[in-house]
């Protein structure tokens, strides 16, 4: 029977919410209930490209990524389930002007114990067969990483948390909160109320709206990022290791079924803010909406630097399946989709993405994690 009271209520069943649920259960935090409006990993987590990279020039981020990587290294011990990780390595390729800074980053990562080495363009062509190194000055090669299965990771966290006593309620929408004397005293949900004094907001791109309901202003914006899934020509080489191309602002990752996942970013890395419940899932073939690198990927032969051989499928290959001008969509090399991501960046001074500190109203408190 579903609990009507809890010591801690977690809102959101993405990788963050399920991981927090497991960690609270391991620390015997009392009765923990996780509420998810759809199903575990139904949000951006399930659409993540799930690259397991530790290459960040800001040391704080590199440390956080290296620490997270440990969770995957010890995944079986943590969850009792095998980690679905493809350790094909990950290469971050940069322009010639960025090579000196890359060397500093490599040295910093090595101090943190990360297995990473520098590649010259000639080495790069050897490590990533079929790659055009034109315009690249070098790369950092993380040899022991790759990419994960984001839905599988979240399901494993949820399953282990459940075994340790957490109640995971799916199809349960948190509609608002009850506040008594300036403090949270419960949550209102589509399946009835739950009394609690502690709520963890792990609602991803919906998190800002949720917190606003209790007067807490979090610097979270939802941003749209685009990726295309392509079928390479039979004689083309699928990428191995994962390639992050910082010059064309695209990344390439093997996808099941012999497909290739190509993710793209514009120069800023983010689109204009979008509504996470109503964003376009059509891939833009132009320079708008965060898809600035798609034209470059297309120019290089539809498959980017890896020459995946999509030259015979020009523009329509970059259109979405639901596009009304379907007659032009010849046999398709792949499918495309866009996804939405929540960004809550912080600067070194602790302020948020927009340079604002989270405003915490009255005596209500929230912790930004
Ligand atoms: C293995 C792995 C590797 C990754 N690698 C990278 C990387 O290299 N770079 C990078 O930038 N990101 C990476 N990510 C992060 C990823 O892209 C997403 O940003 C992340 O998974 C978001 O997780 P989340 O739990 O914060 O949010 P979400 O996945 O958005 O989960 C939030 C959940 O809350 C639920 N919810 C919202 N509102 C309510 C409500 N009112 N009531 C009930 N439920 C609600 C939603 O349905 C959703 O399921 C990686 C993730 C994984 C798992």
């Amino acid at each position: 029977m579903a609990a009507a009271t809890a010591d801690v209520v977690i809102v959101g069943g993405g990788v963050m919410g399920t991981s927090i649920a497991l960690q609270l259960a391991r620390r015997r935090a009392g009765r923990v209930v996780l509420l998810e409006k759809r199903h575990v990993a139904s949000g951006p987590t399930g659409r993540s490209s799930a690259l397991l990279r530790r290459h960040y020039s800001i040391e704080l981020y590199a440390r956080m990524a290296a620490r997270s990587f440990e969770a995957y290294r010890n995944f079986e011990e943590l969850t009792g389930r095998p980690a679905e990780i493809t350790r094909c390595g990950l290469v971050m390729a940069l322009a010639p002007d960025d090579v000196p800074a890359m060397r500093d980053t490599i040295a910093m990562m090595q101090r943190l114990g990360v297995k990473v080495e520098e590649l010259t363009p000639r080495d790069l062509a050897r490590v990533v067969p079929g790659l055009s190194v034109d315009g690249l000055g070098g790369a950092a090669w993380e040899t022991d990483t790759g990419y994960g299965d984001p839905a599988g990771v979240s399901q494993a966290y949820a399953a282990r948390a459940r075994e340790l006593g957490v109640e995971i309620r799916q199809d349960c929408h948190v509609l608002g909160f009850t506040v008594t004397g300036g403090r949270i005293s419960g949550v209102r949900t589509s399946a009835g109320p739950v009394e609690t004094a502690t709520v963890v907001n792990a609602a991803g791109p919906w998190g800002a709206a949720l917190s606003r309901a209790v007067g807490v202003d979090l610097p979270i914006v939802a941003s749209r990022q685009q990726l295309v899934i392509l079928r390479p020509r039979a004689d083309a080489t699928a990428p191995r290791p994962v390639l992050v191309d910082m010059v064309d602002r695209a990344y390439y990752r093997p996808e099941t079924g012999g497909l290739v996942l190509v993710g793209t970013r514009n120069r800023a890395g983010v689109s204009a803010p979008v509504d996470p419940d109503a964003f376009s899932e059509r891939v833009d073939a132009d320079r708008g909406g965060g898809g600035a690198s798609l034209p470059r990927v297309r120019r290089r032969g539809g498959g980017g630097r890896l020459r995946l051989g999509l030259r015979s499928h020009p523009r329509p290959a970059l259109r979405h399946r639901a596009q009304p001008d379907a007659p032009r969509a010849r046999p398709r090399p792949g499918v495309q989709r866009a996804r939405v991501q929540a960004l809550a960046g912080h600067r070194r001074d602790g302020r948020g993405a927009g340079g604002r500190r989270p405003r915490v109203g009255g005596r209500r408190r929230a912790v930004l994690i």
Side-chain angles (χ1 to χ4, degrees):
M1 169 136 161
T5 63
D7 293 298
V8 183
V9 167
I10 300 166
V11 187
V15 73
M16 296 303 290
T18 53
S19 171
I20 292 165
L22 172 55
Q23 296 300 342
L24 287 175
R26 293 176 75 223
R27 288 164 177 75
R28 301 187 205 294
R31 182 156 191 87
V32 178
V33 176
L34 184 153
L35 306 175
E36 164 53 54
K37 66 178 175 177
R38 295 183 64 211
H39 54 84
V40 165
S42 58
T45 291
R47 295 177 176 216
S48 169
S49 303
L51 307 188
L52 297 173
R53 78 166 162 124
R54 291 157 294 178
H55 187 115
Y56 290 92
S57 55
I58 295 175
E59 184 165 345
L60 173 66
Y61 293 175
R63 279 183 184 278
M64 284 166 60
R67 182 85 190 272
S68 301
F69 190 73
E70 288 307 307
Y72 294 104
R73 216 196 286 278
N74 305 325
F75 197 76
E76 193 147 0
E77 195 185 316
L78 186 64
T79 65
R81 287 144 181 93
E84 305 264 339
I85 293 179
T86 307
R87 290 180 191 273
C88 53
L90 185 145
V91 165
M92 173 88 79
L94 298 111
D97 286 353
D98 294 327
V99 169
M102 176 190 80
R103 290 192 178 128
D104 291 345
T105 302
I106 289 176
M108 180 263 287
M109 289 165 68
Q110 285 170 338
R111 280 197 303 279
L112 297 178
V114 175
K115 287 186 183 158
V116 56
E117 53 190 80
E118 182 182 340
L119 298 176
T120 63
R122 185 194 284 242
D123 298 332
L124 194 51
R126 180 177 48 80
V127 168
V128 187
L131 177 73
S132 153
V133 294
D134 143 45
L136 297 176
W141 183 23
E142 290 181 60
T143 51
D144 61 346
T145 189
Y147 62 95
D149 165 11
V153 165
S154 312
Q155 295 289 359
Y157 285 156
R160 184 68 187 130
R162 220 182 258 122
E163 285 163 5
L164 295 178
V166 173
E167 187 192 329
I168 302 209
R169 242 184 263 176
Q170 302 183 85
D171 203 15
C172 181
H173 197 149
V174 172
L175 305 170
F177 304 98
T178 46
V179 177
T180 311
R183 296 189 70 88
I184 291 267
S185 55
V187 297
R188 293 185 292 107
T189 84
S190 53
V194 183
E195 280 178 33
T196 187
T198 307
V199 174
V200 178
N201 179 353
W206 295 270
L210 201 65
S211 287
R212 222 171 287 126
V214 286
V216 177
D217 186 15
L218 293 179
I220 294 176
V221 290
S223 157
R224 186 171 166 276
Q225 292 196 4
Q226 305 197 110
L227 51 89
V228 290
I229 296 174
L230 305 170
R231 184 179 302 286
R233 197 179 55 203
D235 60 347
T237 318
R240 197 171 178 85
V242 172
L243 171 70
V244 181
D245 173 358
M246 299 300 277
V247 174
D248 278 0
R249 300 186 299 283
Y251 58 84
Y252 303 83
R253 203 207 77 178
E255 179 71 355
T256 46
L259 302 175
V260 179
L261 188 155
V262 186
T264 64
R265 325 192 79 192
N266 62 10
R267 196 170 289 282
V270 295
S271 71
V274 294
D275 175 348
D277 288 312
F279 67 97
S280 166
E281 296 202 35
R282 269 176 43 164
V283 167
D284 309 322
D286 60 16
R287 289 183 171 265
S293 62
L294 278 175
R296 298 187 79 167
V297 168
R298 194 173 56 234
R299 246 198 334 268
R300 288 184 189 273
R305 291 187 179 279
L306 289 159
R307 305 180 187 123
L308 292 170
L310 300 165
R311 214 179 286 275
S312 57
H313 301 279
R315 278 185 79 91
L318 293 167
R319 302 257 174 116
H320 187 265
R321 198 182 278 237
Q323 189 99 355
D325 58 355
R328 283 203 293 151
R330 292 187 287 271
R332 303 200 27 135
V335 293
Q336 298 87 44
R337 65 176 194 252
R339 61 183 175 172
V340 70
Q341 221 179 36
L343 295 176
H346 10 138
R347 307 187 325 192
R348 283 179 214 213
D349 60 5
R351 287 172 186 261
R356 292 171 298 148
R357 278 187 196 286
R359 189 174 58 78
V360 182
R363 284 194 289 138
R364 296 167 196 148
R365 300 243 178 95
V367 186
L368 184 64
I369 50 175

